[in-house]
């Protein structure tokens, strides 16, 4: 149909009303954006801005309350966010009279979903920034083995289940061959996906960041996430209606061009900026703002190219190197995006989760069984890969359970599939519940399998042996909080340093990266050194300053350096006030 300009809205409304081919029509009033005040008789929920602010407050407060209630169970935040959206949806509070029409009317969902997608764009950008591509390339053959073993079996189960579901559904009988490939790829990517951000925090809480299991799981998760994003992109392209081979080829080509342009054009400029920042030059507010604007440009280009806006933001984030630039950008947007905008996405997912839409129990049970089988196959495959590399079977079980952690990526895949009509409301509801159930089951099973006491076993063979009393005793003193200082001073007092038997102290100030999953990637760094200091004139090697256990940044304080120098010469610096 040829496009035409509407000159008279009333005439257009009349023609639409009298037409035999009617569609849903929404009317919006420009004067309904801001209100004149309750004193003039206006209802805040009748206006766009007050209603949006009320929805954000309701969603964030409900999410925080659910997180607080579930905190004793030590479940991931992802569970509480899903639960908050489910409570606000039609399955629970939606049953109250007029609740949905008052709080979440249809006219407000366009604005709410736009805000949620904007938050999702910047969240995927943050995930891309936190993923260092070089960590994947140096992960080693074992990480690739676990990634492939824990990705292919679930993907095949999902693809086979999707093919069976399509073959028995008359609604997709007229779809093209490419369209029919979309749902199996969506389902396979959903079953094989792993949430790196959620997984990184789980590993930190379980004290596994410094273990072989934690390192292998994080590396395998990075590779797994890359595969999931690739599957999401391909499935999104194939899911377009009236999709032809030529259109599919051009869409995939545009995605490759976006990826190549980010790495060939954008990354060199950001690397130069990162080198300047490492040398002490400030990143600058103007440069940070230009990068954040570039995220929107990349998302717009990707959406216009036919992939998805979040793909452009994710690739843009991958091009940002780890370091001062990445940290500055994450600190600029993470708290607001994760705390205020991302819960909107989970709430909208909850609004779409309706248990009343589950009408075909046979298909629902089949989907649940397939998802559970895929989760079990991940664990079995991890155990098999561990056996191939001569690792304990308990470590393989732990890695398989950890790689079953679900999160935002799976929910993004499900929402895109539902919005494009590739997935029914029933399948969406079932898979959201199964995703939350599998993630909730990971922690209890890990508690039975993981033995945190086994981490860093090779240190158990070390003892304090001072074969040469006249030589220097080197002590690494790590200070995180002020209460760590008195025990260290007591230890130094016990060893009684003197000029004949000096004690060399390297005092480190540890600063925790709170809530930064990217900090866990530092455990994979081959040489995590950033600065050095020659603590005394005894010719000792310079102290390497790096991140401890992947969650600490190290800093030499002035008093700490003075303490190292004075202790090496046999004097007692702890007698000086203020140290």
């Amino acid at each position: 149909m040829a496009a035409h300009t509407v000159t008279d809205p009333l005439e257009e409304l009349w023609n639409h009303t009298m037409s035999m081919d009617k569609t849903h029509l929404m009317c919006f009033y420009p004067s309904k954006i801001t209100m004149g005040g309750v004193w003039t008789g206006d209802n805040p929920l009748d206006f766009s801005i007050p209603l949006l602010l009320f929805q954000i407050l309701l969603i964030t407060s409900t999410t925080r309350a659910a997180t607080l209630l579930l905190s004793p169970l030590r479940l991931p935040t992802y569970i509480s966010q899903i639960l908050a959206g489910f409570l606000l949806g039609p399955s629970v509070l939606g049953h109250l009279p007029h609740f949905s029409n008052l709080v979440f009317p249809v006219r407000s969902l366009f604005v709410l979903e736009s805000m949620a997608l904007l938050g999702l764009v910047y969240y995927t950008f943050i995930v891309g920034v936190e993923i260092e591509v070089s960590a994947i390339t140096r992960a080693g053959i074992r990480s690739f083995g676990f990634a492939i073993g824990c990705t292919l079996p679930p993907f095949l189960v999902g693809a086979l289940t999707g093919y069976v579901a399509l073959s028995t559904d008359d609604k997709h009988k007229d779809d093209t061959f490419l369209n029919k490939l979309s749902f199996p790829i969506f389902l396979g990517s959903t079953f094989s996906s792993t949430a790196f951000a959620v997984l990184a925090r789980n590993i930190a809480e379980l004290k596994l960041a410094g273990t072989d299991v934690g390192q292998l799981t994080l590396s395998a998760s990075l590779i797994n996430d890359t595969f999931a994003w690739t599957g999401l992109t391909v499935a999104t392209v194939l899911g377009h209606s009236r999709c032809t081979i030529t259109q599919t080829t051009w869409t995939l080509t545009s995605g490759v061009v976006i990826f190549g342009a980010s790495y060939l054009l954008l990354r060199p400029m950001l690397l130069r900026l990162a080198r300047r920042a490492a040398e002490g030059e400030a990143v600058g507010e103007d440069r940070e703002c230009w990068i954040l604007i570039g995220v929107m440009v990349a998302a717009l280009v990707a959406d216009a190219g036919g992939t998805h806006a979040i793909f452009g933001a994710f690739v843009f984030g991958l091009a940002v190197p780890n370091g001062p630039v990445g940290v500055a950008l994450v600190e600029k947007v993470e708290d607001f995006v994760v705390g205020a905008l991302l819960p909107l996405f989970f709430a909208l997912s909850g609004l779409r989760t309706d248990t009343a839409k589950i009408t075909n129990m046979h298909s629902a049970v089949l989907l649940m069984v397939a998802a559970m089988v895929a989760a079990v196959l991940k664990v079995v495959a991890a155990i098999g890969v561990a056996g191939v590399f001569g690792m304990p079977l308990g470590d393989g079980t732990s890695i398989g359970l950890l790689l079953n952690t679900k999160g935002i990526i799976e929910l993004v895949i499900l929402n895109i599939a539902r919005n494009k009509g590739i997935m029914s409301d029933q399948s969406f509801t079932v898979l959201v519940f199964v995703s939350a159930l599998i993630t909730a089951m990971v922690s209890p099973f890990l508690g039975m399998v993981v033995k945190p006491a086994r981490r860093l076993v090779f240190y158990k063979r070390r003892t304090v042996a001072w074969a040469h009393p006249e030589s220097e005793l080197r002590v690494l003193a790590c200070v995180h909080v002020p209460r760590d200082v008195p025990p260290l001073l007591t230890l130094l007092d016990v060893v009684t340093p003197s000029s004949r038997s000096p004690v060399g102290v390297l005092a480190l100030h540890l600063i925790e990266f709170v809530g930064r999953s990217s900090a866990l990637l530092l455990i994979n760094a081959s040489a995590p050194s950033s600065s050095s200091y020659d603590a005394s004139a005894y010719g000792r090697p310079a102290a390497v300053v790096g991140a401890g256990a992947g969650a600490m940044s190290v800093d030499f304080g002035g008093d700490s350096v003075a303490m190292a120098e004075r202790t090496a010469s046999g004097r007692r610096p702890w007698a000086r006030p203020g140290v």
Side-chain angles (χ1 to χ4, degrees), residues 295-359:
V295 177
M296 292 186 282
V297 174
L300 175 62
V301 172
D303 204 39
T307 52
H308 198 276
I310 60 174
F311 172 76
F314 179 71
V315 172
F316 194 95
L318 287 177
V320 178
N322 275 1
V325 177
V327 172
L329 292 172
V330 170
E331 288 180 347
K332 284 281 186 182
V333 299
E334 184 177 38
D335 292 336
F336 177 68
V337 169
V338 176
L341 295 183
L342 198 60
L344 304 183
F345 175 74
F346 287 97
L348 285 172
S349 301
L351 292 175
R352 298 183 178 120
T353 304
D354 190 359
T355 54
K357 298 293 180 65
I358 303 178
T359 56

Side-chain angles (χ1 to χ4, degrees), residues 192-270:
S192 61
S193 65
T194 300
F196 171 77
V198 180
L199 178 62
R201 286 164 176 82
N202 286 355
I203 288 178
E205 292 174 359
L206 292 169
K207 310 298 182 184
L208 296 175
T211 65
D212 193 35
V213 170
Q215 295 181 25
L216 286 174
T217 306
L218 284 174
S219 300
S221 174
L222 290 177
I223 303 171
N224 200 323
D225 273 4
T226 304
F227 178 82
W229 283 109
T230 304
L232 170 62
T233 304
V234 173
T236 303
V237 173
L238 298 177
H240 288 297
S241 59
R242 299 181 300 276
C243 180
T244 63
I245 296 179
T246 304
Q247 294 171 341
T248 303
T249 303
W250 278 112
T251 304
L252 292 177
T253 303
S254 66
V256 174
V257 170
I258 293 172
F259 186 85
S262 297
Y263 263 80
L264 297 178
L265 300 178
L266 178 65
R267 188 170 177 84
M269 294 187 293
L270 294 176

Side-chain angles (χ1 to χ4, degrees), residues 62 96 121 129 146 209 236 270 287 313 346 355 396 439 446 459 489 504 562:
T62 306
L96 297 178
V121 163
V129 172
F146 279 107
T236 303
L270 294 176
R287 295 170 178 171
F346 287 97
T355 54
T439 305
L446 278 174
Y459 280 107
L489 299 182

